[in-house]
Amino acid sequence: GHIKFQYALDYTKNSSLNDRDQSLFLSTDEGATFQKQLITFFVETLIFHPKEEDKVVAYTKESKVYLSTDLGKKWTLLQERATKDRVFWAVAGVDGEPDLIHMEIQDLSGGFRYVTCQSQNCSDRTPTIPFASSIDHNSLTVQDDYIFFKATTANRTKYYVSYRRNEFVLMKLPKYALPKDLQIISTDENEVFVAVQEWYQTDTYNLYQSDPQGVYYSIVLENVRSTKQPEENVLIDILEVRGVKGVFLANQKIDGKVTTLITYNKGRDWDYLTPPAIDMNGKPTNCKPPDCHLHLHLRWADNPYVSGTVHTKDTAPGLIMGAGNLGSQLVEYKEEMYITSDCGNTWRQVFEEEHHILYLDHGGVIVAIKDTSIPLKILKFSIDEGHTWSTHNFTSTSVFVDGLLSEPGDETLVMTVFGHISFRSDWELVKVDFRPSFPRQCTEDDYDYWNLTNLQGNHCIMGQQRSFRKRKTTSWCIKGQSFTSVLTSSVCKCSSSDFFCDYGFERSAPSKSEARKCFANFWFNPDLPPEDCVLGQAYTSSPGYRKVVSNVCEGGVDLQRYVFQHQCPLTAPRGLRVSIKGETVAVKPGEDVTFVVRQEQGDVVNTKYLVDLGDGFKAVYVNLTVTGEPIRHRYENPGIYRVFVKAENAAGHEETVLFVQVNSPLRALHLEVVPVIGVNQEVNLTAILLPQNPNLTVFYWWIGNNLQPLLSLDNFLVTQFSETGEVRVTVQASCGNSMLQDSKVIRVLDQFQVLPLKFTKHLDMYNPNIPEWREDIGLVVTRLLSEETNIPEETLLTVVKPGLPTTADLHVLLPSPKPKRKRSVPSDKRITAIKQALNAHNISFFLRGGFWVLVTLRDTDSDSQRIGGGGGYWALIVLFLICLFAIGAFILYKFKRKLPGRTVYAQMHNEKEQEMTSPVNHSEDTQNIIQGNHSGVVLSINSREMHSYLVS
């Protein structure tokens, strides 16, 4: 038979010994008798097996984990350095082994790892490590089909998810969410709700919903209020209403004003709560929308044995009881009690002060005890869903109420009130039995039904119409354990309201003329293949809509019908990086160096990689970024070595370089250059270093491919450029044993013109002031202008300036001369066409928040400016190719991918002189635009911008 058991922990102090022993008390007869079991450790948490009740894990105050398989009689040490609240039993139906234990532990180096092991041999064998790298402390979460954690490297935090125990992949939030924190809200019904604190938020989070795999996320609600708790815990005002799937309550905070919203379809649509017309005394509330609504506190109780400010239950669908107030916003000190029995459509006030709530018999009895610090002996109860209330003296002596209990999992009419008479007294437990108040069991004639609708009166919610049974208010009977609340459900035809915006898309602002549609964000192109698209495979392009997995509608409208299949093309390598394991650029002579080559985008299977380590070693590889074997090397002689890597396939090629200094090793650097300068004009190259080390840092400057650097103790260099072509500028800063490098590639063109641009003010609201965002804005403006004017895209360059308000300069370049082609359109005609497009308000793009951003001309002293020197006009246009490398031990090992091993085609050892050029690394680029013929300009940099760059 089923054994019900209970544990109790007791700290007893021996009067003769002054030391503390801990005892475990075990009951297998529902608390009638207890067996005392001494244990040798101090338990902080007990974690019971979800299926086998004789198995339990204990987490101790010394961060140790023990296992018992015999109801706590014997214990085995499993792990000595585990993280509190980060130990999980296997999830039935998901984990292959029912006795698997997931843990976050601290390794010998001080880092934290995610490990798993079988409970029966966890102490004997080395645990399995599903994720090879370290993870952040206190970040592991195992919940339903998903496992989550975060990992921070080089001051950048990445969030990972595993679906049904498959490999870990990065969670795909919108590109410019730039999360400061992420909290898991819900994982049921095969999708994930997360709350994300984005870069611009301090006391609010944005709510996102995922696809079934938990990888791609779309926004469902912005600015949900959050509260910081002790020990860095965060409470977010979002509550899943139990009993009716898809219903959530949330408190939104905008401009300091907090209001309560409700959704019936998992966040697609949100509405304010409808206020009651009269109060508990029958007087008019005079609260009418849109200026007045009902608002509820959505706080969790600190005491786990009392309800929070809002109480719902799986076995009482539609019944919601909470504390709040009527008005234009939520008021912290007002905690009037309101109740709804139709899932939020109509509300009634029941009390003027907050009460702790307990539902008995599927909500057939509602018990309420006043939330107060004074002793009580009266409780209130209702048998008609809060329409009327009776009082009951549960004790003859007033007690301080500590909590309310009912039998877990059983819908009975028996409850327990526990508390204490004084602060020094023992607990008093009072059993309250409501069964005598009900003379019989309910029959079918005692039930009525109600239909679930949203606040607009729609019956089709989440693709179905649902009806629920409820006891008639005139029937005094017991529902009993066999009662089921769901009466009927029928599938609806699909409508547009059944579809969310897909990843990369966002709904437009509300409009009276048309329904809110989903538009692609400026940074997202749905037609491009995904990053993991492999030649020969197929991918689908999203039409911008998707249906939630738990939505069961059929037929009708199908906004997903325009999904198209595409074949993955052969793509050129992009984002090629070469670095040294340990993120350093300085090593010692004779030290083993492991190089790492990474490629962010493009084909890797059909790509060859030429590697030149700068000291005569050259080789050609395939699968270099795929295999896990590192390339090790050793530089015997001091010097500076130019490491060069070229990735090439039939679609294109990419190059990157790294300067290796073989001597004493430095930390963080950013190179500032002006984007446009005349030929033979002096220009300041400025190196920004944090923290600054005046008179202690040596700066090495390389211009072009010159192997002989210019040295300075100042963080700037004044130079000139007298020849056309590409110029690579590289700076390295050396201080003590640390070194950092940054470089930029500059093109010199014959002629250009500049048009100043401005944007509508909405863009400033979502400007994170980082280089990558500015680059994306520039790319989308360039593309739109090219499409509107038919001017080749490669002859336009839009440079967005740092800071606010957001402005930009459009650089109009002469096209490259090509043989057997007609001559390019004269520059003045191109300028005229561009001005016409801008003045006609034809250039705009979609931005989050539902806004369209309009691009227009900015007023300046002159419409266009030319920069020249010598006999012609020249322009330096900065290509955003920046490399940032930190120091330690130099390494290059091949990027991990699960494909076959590499093949070395050729290896050449040439006894040549050491070569050196600058590395190419796609890093952040902060620039100021300098117009005119001003020479020797020292660039300034926004402090917030610089901080964001250096810590990213």
Side-chain angles (χ1 to χ4, degrees):
H2 183 74
I3 301 176
K4 294 183 180 178
F5 63 93
Q6 297 175 337
Y7 278 113
L9 297 175
D10 178 46
Y11 289 97
T12 59
K13 179 173 263 192
N14 188 306
S15 59
S16 60
L17 295 174
N18 276 336
D19 55 356
R20 291 161 62 91
D21 297 325
Q22 186 171 31
S23 300
L24 188 78
F25 291 86
L26 170 67
S27 173
T28 58
D29 53 11
E30 301 185 5
T33 61
F34 283 89
Q35 296 176 343
K36 182 178 180 179
Q37 183 71 41
L38 290 175
I39 52 178
T40 59
F41 46 85
F42 293 90
V43 174
E44 189 156 333
T45 306
L46 291 175
I47 309 162
F48 296 93
H49 193 284
K51 298 294 184 181
E52 303 177 47
E53 52 193 12
D54 57 342
K55 296 180 179 179
V56 60
V57 165
Y59 181 83
T60 76
K61 294 186 176 181
E62 295 81 20
S63 301
K64 296 181 180 180
V65 177
Y66 289 85
L67 170 72
S68 174
T69 59
D70 57 1
L71 297 179
K73 295 181 178 65
K74 296 181 181 179
W75 294 89
T76 303
L77 177 64
L78 300 185
Q79 186 59 238
E80 292 190 348
R81 295 177 302 275
T83 302
K84 182 184 178 182
D85 299 327
R86 303 299 168 182
V87 180
F88 307 89
W89 280 105
V91 177
V94 182
D95 287 294
E97 300 292 337
D99 290 336
L100 192 71
I101 299 178
H102 304 265
M103 289 183 288
E104 178 187 304
I105 68 169
Q106 188 174 26
D107 58 26
L108 297 177
S109 66
F112 291 87
R113 300 274 182 168
Y114 161 47
V115 301
T116 62
C117 64
Q118 294 292 326
S119 61
Q120 61 268 23
N121 56 21
C122 198
S123 58
D124 301 329
R125 298 184 182 178
T126 302
T128 303
I129 304 178
F131 187 74
S133 302
S134 296
I135 69 173
D136 285 6
H137 180 228
N138 204 34
S139 69
L140 177 67
T141 298
V142 179
Q143 201 164 303
D144 297 326
D145 291 339
Y146 308 93
I147 300 176
F148 307 91
F149 60 76
K150 63 180 180 178
T152 301
T153 55
N155 290 329
R156 184 175 182 180
T157 300
K158 297 180 179 180
Y159 297 88
Y160 290 86
V161 62
S162 168
Y163 174 66
R164 297 194 67 84
R165 308 311 184 252
N166 293 315
E167 68 175 328
F168 286 93
V169 296
L170 286 173
M171 298 168 67
K172 299 288 187 179
L173 294 165
K175 186 172 183 180
Y176 293 109
L178 307 178
K180 297 191 294 185
D181 186 38
L182 184 148
Q183 301 285 333
I184 307 299
I185 301 299
S186 170
T187 56
D188 61 353
E189 295 193 302
N190 212 30
E191 61 189 355
V192 182
F193 265 79
V194 298
V196 178
Q197 188 174 56
E198 302 190 24
W199 61 272
Y200 60 91
Q201 296 176 305
T202 55
D203 56 357
T204 58
Y205 281 65
N206 290 341
L207 187 64
Y208 287 87
Q209 184 190 57
S210 80
D211 62 346
Q213 289 73 36
V215 176
Y216 292 96
Y217 290 81
S218 302
I219 193 162
V220 293
L221 184 63
E222 293 187 278
N223 298 314
V224 179
R225 183 176 70 166
S226 64
T227 307
K228 204 68 174 282
Q229 296 292 307
E231 298 182 359
E232 298 301 315
N233 291 327
V234 176
L235 297 183
I236 300 170
D237 280 18
I238 179 79
L239 178 76
E240 184 173 7
V241 175
R242 297 164 62 184
V244 182
K245 293 295 186 181
V247 183
F248 287 80
L249 292 168
N251 279 337
Q252 188 178 52
K253 184 176 183 180
I254 299 178
D255 297 329
K257 182 178 178 180
V258 180
T259 54
T260 301
L261 304 174
I262 188 171
T263 178
Y264 292 86
N265 52 11
K266 282 210 161 180
R268 186 195 184 275
D269 302 292
W270 296 84
D271 292 291
Y272 295 102
L273 298 181
T274 304
I278 58 175
D279 62 15
M280 59 181 292
N281 299 315
K283 297 181 180 179
T285 59
N286 297 320
C287 180
K288 296 180 180 180
D291 299 321
C292 183
H293 296 91
L294 171 63
H295 309 284
L296 299 177
H297 299 282
L298 302 179
R299 297 191 304 267
W300 294 98
D302 296 331
N303 181 356
Y305 301 109
V306 297
S307 63
T309 53
V310 173
H311 190 54
T312 64
K313 195 172 184 179
D314 290 325
T315 55
L319 200 59
I320 308 173
M321 195 166 177
N325 65 273
L326 303 179
S328 61
Q329 61 182 308
L330 183 66
V331 180
E332 289 302 319
Y333 58 86
K334 287 189 177 181
E335 294 179 336
E336 304 160 352
M337 296 296 294
Y338 294 86
I339 190 171
T340 175
S341 55
D342 56 9
C343 204
N345 274 266
T346 58
W347 293 83
R348 306 183 305 275
Q349 184 187 6
V350 290
F351 304 123
E352 293 180 342
E353 297 175 293
E354 184 180 0
H355 285 63
H356 297 308
I357 305 300
L358 189 66
Y359 296 158
L360 301 175
D361 190 31
H362 304 271
V365 175
I366 305 174
V367 181
I369 291 184
K370 188 176 180 180
D371 180 13
T372 179
S373 58
I374 63 176
L376 300 171
K377 58 181 177 181
I378 295 177
L379 61 76
K380 304 170 187 176
F381 67 95
S382 172
I383 62 169
D384 56 5
E385 298 178 336
H387 287 278
T388 60
W389 293 85
S390 304
T391 59
H392 171 68
N393 287 345
F394 63 90
T395 178
S396 58
T397 304
S398 298
V399 298
F400 295 95
V401 176
D402 293 318
L404 310 177
L405 293 175
S406 62
E407 184 67 22
D410 291 335
E411 288 300 322
T412 68
L413 284 166
V414 181
M415 63 168 289
T416 301
V417 181
F418 70 93
H420 53 280
I421 298 176
S422 68
F423 290 108
R424 296 185 177 181
S425 65
D426 296 332
W427 269 355
E428 298 285 335
L429 279 75
V430 181
K431 181 178 180 180
V432 183
D433 190 348
F434 289 93
R435 287 176 294 185
S437 301
F438 298 91
R440 61 184 177 85
Q441 293 283 330
C442 294
T443 64
E444 285 300 320
D445 294 335
D446 294 305
Y447 295 111
D448 204 345
Y449 72 93
W450 63 278
N451 296 319
L452 177 67
T453 64
N454 60 19
L455 298 190
Q456 283 71 44
N458 297 326
H459 289 77
C460 285
I461 298 175
M462 298 298 288
Q464 59 181 328
Q465 295 187 33
R466 283 173 283 181
S467 297
F468 296 88
R469 290 200 302 175
K470 62 186 296 185
R471 191 180 63 195
K472 296 177 181 178
T473 57
T474 57
S475 295
W476 283 59
C477 57
I478 302 173
K479 298 180 183 180
Q481 296 184 16
S482 61
F483 172 78
T484 56
S485 58
V486 179
L487 184 63
T488 60
S489 64
S490 58
V491 176
C492 300
K493 287 187 177 181
C494 296
S495 66
S496 59
S497 62
D498 292 307
F499 293 87
F500 282 75
C501 292
D502 205 352
Y503 172 78
F505 292 80
E506 194 170 330
R507 293 169 73 184
S508 60
S511 172
K512 295 182 180 179
S513 60
E514 61 178 11
R516 297 178 66 182
K517 297 181 180 179
C518 296
F519 291 93
N521 264 297
F522 71 91
W523 51 265
F524 181 72
N525 187 342
D527 295 325
L528 289 180
E531 295 178 1
D532 56 353
C533 203
V534 178
L535 183 66
Q537 295 182 352
Y539 72 96
T540 58
S541 59
S542 172
Y545 299 89
R546 65 177 177 87
K547 190 172 70 172
V548 179
V549 178
S550 53
N551 189 309
V552 297
C553 70
E554 297 177 354
V557 176
D558 184 9
L559 297 182
Q560 295 177 304
R561 66 185 180 275
Y562 297 115
V563 174
F564 298 104
Q565 289 277 343
H566 306 275
Q567 292 296 315
C568 293
L570 177 66
T571 53
R574 290 292 180 266
L576 188 66
R577 304 285 183 272
V578 57
S579 60
I580 294 174
K581 189 175 181 180
E583 300 301 322
T584 182
V585 292
V587 298
K588 299 176 182 178
E591 181 180 350
D592 288 331
V593 180
T594 304
F595 289 96
V596 180
V597 174
R598 295 184 176 93
Q599 182 178 307
E600 294 181 356
Q601 299 177 15
D603 182 89
V604 293
V605 177
N606 303 283
T607 302
K608 295 181 180 179
Y609 299 86
L610 169 65
V611 177
D612 183 348
L613 299 185
D615 63 347
F617 175 89
K618 297 180 180 180
V620 177
Y621 301 93
V622 294
N623 296 334
L624 180 60
T625 63
V626 179
T627 57
E629 299 178 21
I631 294 180
R632 294 185 175 89
H633 192 68
R634 181 180 296 173
Y635 293 99
E636 300 295 341
N637 300 316
I640 300 173
Y641 299 85
R642 176 182 180 265
V643 176
F644 172 81
V645 179
K646 180 179 181 180
E648 185 173 19
N649 58 34
H653 70 274
E654 176 95 335
E655 299 177 356
T656 185
V657 295
L658 172 69
F659 287 105
V660 179
Q661 294 199 17
V662 182
N663 49 33
S664 299
L666 203 165
R667 204 185 87 183
L669 183 66
H670 178 59
L671 176 61
E672 285 283 343
V673 298
V674 291
V676 178
I677 196 68
V679 70
N680 290 325
Q681 280 188 283
E682 289 187 345
V683 58
N684 243 322
L685 309 176
T686 305
I688 306 298
L689 187 65
L690 286 180
Q692 297 181 4
N693 293 299
N695 302 323
L696 297 176
T697 303
V698 179
F699 294 88
Y700 301 81
W701 305 87
W702 285 276
I703 308 298
N705 292 325
N706 189 351
L707 293 180
Q708 182 63 44
L710 300 175
L711 274 65
S712 71
L713 294 177
D714 296 318
N715 68 327
F716 63 91
L717 178 69
V718 179
T719 188
Q720 298 177 353
F721 301 96
S722 59
E723 297 180 359
T724 60
E726 291 189 351
V727 179
R728 184 188 300 270
V729 178
T730 304
V731 62
Q732 286 186 340
S734 176
C735 181
N737 292 325
S738 59
M739 178 171 289
L740 187 70
Q741 175 178 299
D742 197 6
S743 71
K744 292 182 180 177
V745 174
I746 302 170
R747 278 191 303 153
V748 180
L749 304 178
D750 287 334
Q751 187 178 359
F752 73 96
Q753 288 182 287
V754 178
L755 290 177
L757 304 179
K758 65 179 180 180
F759 306 86
T760 48
K761 63 180 180 180
H762 303 305
L763 189 60
D764 291 346
M765 299 166 55
Y766 296 99
N767 183 349
N769 202 26
I770 62 172
E772 190 176 7
W773 183 89
R774 293 196 296 272
E775 184 179 2
D776 275 349
I777 295 292
L779 290 174
V780 74
V781 173
T782 298
R783 175 174 57 81
L784 293 173
L785 281 168
S786 176
E787 293 172 354
E788 179 69 22
T789 62
N790 293 322
I791 299 174
E793 190 170 344
E794 61 270 17
T795 66
L796 301 176
L797 177 64
T798 305
V799 179
V800 180
K801 298 182 178 183
L804 296 175
T806 309
T807 59
D809 282 345
L810 173 66
H811 300 262
V812 184
L813 316 177
L814 288 180
S816 302
K818 295 184 179 180
K820 300 180 181 180
R821 288 283 189 93
K822 292 183 178 180
R823 188 170 181 176
S824 301
V825 178
S827 176
D828 56 342
K829 291 186 178 181
R830 293 188 299 152
I831 296 296
T832 301
I834 292 171
K835 288 183 177 180
Q836 288 177 349
L838 293 169
N839 292 332
H841 293 179
N842 292 338
I843 308 302
S844 64
F845 56 89
F846 184 69
L847 182 72
R848 69 173 299 174
F851 298 112
W852 284 92
V853 175
L854 183 66
V855 186
T856 56
L857 286 170
R858 188 173 82 252
D859 294 330
T860 58
D861 295 337
S862 59
D863 290 335
S864 64
Q865 301 189 22
R866 298 175 184 268
I867 299 178
Y873 297 99
W874 300 84
L876 297 179
I877 306 302
V878 176
L879 304 177
F880 302 98
L881 301 168
I882 308 172
C883 298
L884 189 63
F885 299 90
I887 306 114
F890 271 86
I891 330 163
L892 143 62
Y893 91 96
K894 297 164 270 170
F895 195 96
K896 290 189 175 179
R897 297 286 292 274
K898 297 182 178 178
L899 289 180
R902 65 175 186 238
T903 304
V904 180
Y905 280 136
Q907 179 171 307
M908 298 150 281
H909 291 273
N910 299 324
E911 298 299 326
K912 295 183 178 180
E913 293 182 358
Q914 302 165 7
E915 296 180 308
M916 173 176 62
T917 98
S918 61
V920 179
N921 196 344
H922 190 76
S923 175
E924 297 173 334
D925 183 16
T926 56
Q927 303 180 8
N928 287 338
I929 309 301
I930 297 182
Q931 299 175 339
N933 290 320
H934 304 288
S935 357
V937 182
V938 180
L939 296 183
S940 63
I941 185 166
N942 181 280
S943 60
R944 182 166 79 101
E945 164 83 12
M946 190 63 238
H947 176 74
S948 300
Y949 174 81
L950 289 174
V951 300
S952 62

